[in-house]
Amino acid sequence: IASLLLLTSTTTAFSSWVPKRKSVSIHQNYRITTRQVTADAHSSVTTASSASDDASVEWDMSLFSPAKINLFLRIIRKREDGFHDLASLFQTIGFGDYLHIRKLGSDAEDDVLTCNMDGVPTDRTNLVMRAVDLVREKTGIKDQFFQMDLVKYVPHQAGLGGGSGNAAAALYGVNELLGNPATLEELVEWSGELGSDITFFLSEGTAYCTGRGEIMTPVPPLPNSAGTKLCIVKPDIGLSTPSVFKALDYDKLSKADPENVLQIFQTEGMSPSEDEKFINDLERPAFKVLPDLEELKNDLISCGFETVMMSGSGTSIFCIGSTSDPEKFSNLIESRDDVNVYSTEFINRDGNGWYTSPDDTSTKIQ
C-alpha cells in the first residue's frame, strides 16, 4: 500500500502535523494512521495471516524486536574475504516487530514459523529459524521444538536491522524458555555466526560495533538521549546492501577517526555540535545508485529537523528532533505517495530483561 504510515504513541512530538484520518489500533497504545485504512491492523501493513490473531494460541513468551539506526557509520577498509571493516554507533528505537514463541509438545518433530508479512520466508532461510537451530546445536538440547509467530512492521531493505533484531529476539527467547542453558556472553559469541548486526541487539541498546559489525562494545546510553524523538522516512523502493557497497568510492570516504567521533557522542550526546559526528559513508554510494534518495534527504533537511541522515545502507532516512516547519513537512509527505513515515524514539533495555516498546510491557514467560 502506498500510504502515509505513522506509528506513534499518544504523546508523539509530531502530532501537530498529522492529518486527521481514520485510525486502527495496534499493539496496545500504538496506533497506525494511514491514507487508506484496510480491514485490520495487520493488513494496513501486510496482507498475510498471523498466528498471533488466533486467540486459542497461548504463547509462552512475546518479545518486542526493536529496529536500530546508525548514529554514525564509517567504512574503514575492504577485507581480503570481500567483507568490509566498519565502525559504527548503533542505537535501538521504539519501532519494531513482535516475536511470539511457545514450546511444542514432545510429539513435535519440527519448529513452526508463521509471519504476517508477505514475502518473508518461514523456512530455514529465515534468521529466526536459524537462530533456534543454533541454540539447539550449541546447547545440545535437540529434542525441544517451538511454534513462533513473527509480526512484522519494520520494512525490508530499510537499513533498520529488522531481520537481525528478529534473530536476536529468537536467540534470547528460546534460551529463556529452555531454562537459560547459555549465558548472554555465549549468545553474543554465537550470534556472529548468523550475521553481522545480530550481536548488537543483544546489547542494552547502545553499542559501538566494529569488524563486520559483529564485534560489539556496549556503551552507556548517550547523555540526555533517553526518549529522543525521531521519525523514520522510508521510501517504498529499497536498496540491497551489496549494490550500495559496489558503488562505494574509497577515495571519498570520511577521514574522521571513529574513536574520536564516538567520544564526541559520549560527551555531547544528541546535542548540536560544531564537530562532525553524524557521518554515514554509505550515503554517497546509495545516492549514486538511487539519486531520488538524495533529493528526499535534501527536502527533509529543508523542513528544519535538527539532524537528517540515512540509516545503514538505506533506504530509510531518520530525522531527529522536531521540524521547525511542520506545515512544510506535512505538505512534503502529502505530496508523495511512495513514502512511509514512522514516529518513534530512542529506547534502551534494562540488563535484567528484554526490550519493551515505549508503551508496551508484553514480554512475559508463563
Side-chain angles (χ1 to χ4, degrees):
I1 300 170
S3 63
L4 170 63
L5 179 63
L6 178 65
L7 180 62
T8 179
S9 67
T10 56
T11 58
T12 175
F14 303 100
S15 58
S16 61
W17 59 264
V18 178
K20 294 183 180 296
R21 306 189 190 285
K22 295 181 180 179
S23 297
V24 287
S25 62
I26 176 173
H27 292 304
Q28 299 184 15
N29 294 333
Y30 280 99
R31 302 188 70 79
I32 282 183
T33 304
T34 78
R35 285 200 183 101
Q36 190 173 359
V37 178
T38 49
D40 57 51
H42 287 169
S43 64
S44 65
V45 183
T46 60
T47 57
S49 61
S50 173
S52 60
D53 293 331
D54 186 351
S56 67
V57 178
E58 290 287 339
W59 299 104
D60 296 326
M61 174 177 281
S62 295
L63 295 172
F64 178 59
S65 177
K68 61 83 179 169
I69 60 172
N70 302 81
L71 293 176
F72 77 84
L73 174 57
R74 282 288 339 276
I75 303 301
I76 308 303
R77 66 183 64 85
K78 186 172 183 179
R79 306 177 349 172
E80 292 183 0
D81 61 7
F83 290 100
H84 290 77
D85 281 327
L86 59 84
S88 182
L89 181 60
F90 286 58
Q91 175 64 51
T92 45
I93 57 176
F95 168 54
D97 304 324
Y98 286 80
L99 180 65
H100 307 287
I101 314 172
R102 75 181 184 102
K103 296 166 70 175
L104 294 175
S106 57
D107 58 338
E109 297 181 353
D110 202 356
D111 301 304
V112 178
L113 174 65
T114 52
C115 182
N116 65 317
M117 183 174 284
D118 280 342
V120 175
T122 54
D123 58 14
R124 278 185 159 73
T125 61
N126 190 296
L127 282 171
V128 168
M129 294 285 271
R130 292 175 57 196
V132 175
D133 285 341
L134 183 64
V135 173
R136 275 196 294 258
E137 174 192 339
K138 296 292 188 179
T139 63
I141 304 175
K142 299 185 177 181
D143 58 351
Q144 178 63 62
F145 296 97
F146 300 88
Q147 178 182 0
M148 294 162 290
D149 185 50
L150 179 59
V151 182
K152 286 201 67 68
Y153 301 101
V154 178
H156 182 53
Q157 292 187 340
L160 300 175
S164 296
N166 300 158
L171 287 172
Y172 178 90
V174 167
N175 186 60
E176 286 278 331
L177 293 176
L178 290 175
N180 291 297
T183 65
L184 179 61
E185 291 73 19
E186 287 174 320
L187 294 179
V188 168
E189 179 184 351
W190 301 343
S191 65
E193 299 182 23
L194 295 173
S196 300
D197 292 348
I198 299 168
T199 305
F200 160 69
F201 288 98
L202 295 170
S203 74
E204 295 182 12
T206 309
Y208 178 58
C209 298
T210 55
R212 292 183 291 111
E214 85 286 5
I215 303 173
M216 176 188 63
T217 303
V219 300
L222 300 177
N224 303 314
S225 67
T228 294
K229 302 297 182 182
L230 71 155
C231 66
I232 307 292
V233 181
K234 171 65 173 78
D236 290 343
I237 191 169
L239 283 174
S240 70
T241 300
S243 70
V244 175
F245 274 99
K246 187 176 181 180
L248 197 63
D249 184 340
Y250 296 93
D251 293 330
K252 295 184 179 179
L253 297 178
S254 169
K255 305 302 181 184
D257 183 337
E259 297 285 345
N260 290 342
V261 179
L262 175 63
Q263 183 60 47
I264 293 170
F265 270 104
Q266 290 182 299
T267 302
E268 300 179 352
M270 303 306 296
S271 301
S273 174
E274 295 180 359
D275 298 301
E276 183 184 22
K277 62 181 181 180
F278 290 98
I279 302 166
N280 186 346
D281 279 336
L282 296 182
E283 272 196 341
R284 189 185 297 270
F287 294 165
K288 181 178 180 181
V289 176
L290 190 62
D292 286 349
L293 194 60
E294 182 175 19
E295 180 181 347
L296 175 60
K297 179 186 176 181
N298 290 334
D299 287 342
L300 292 168
I301 290 173
S302 72
C303 293
F305 287 99
E306 294 172 16
T307 299
V308 177
M309 191 172 77
M310 189 181 78
S311 181
S313 59
T315 54
S316 288
I317 296 174
F318 62 84
C319 307
I320 293 178
S322 299
T323 169
S324 62
D325 193 339
E327 183 178 358
K328 183 174 184 178
F329 182 43
S330 180
N331 290 339
L332 170 64
I333 300 304
E334 289 282 0
S335 70
R336 302 190 56 146
D337 60 2
D338 63 336
V339 297
N340 297 325
V341 177
Y342 309 88
S343 171
T344 186
E345 63 190 69
F346 285 16
I347 64 168
N348 287 81
R349 72 179 180 93
D350 186 308
N352 296 319
W354 191 246
Y355 299 97
T356 57
S357 68
D359 297 292
D360 182 19
T361 55
S362 64
T363 301
K364 64 183 180 69
I365 303 177
Q366 294 178 338

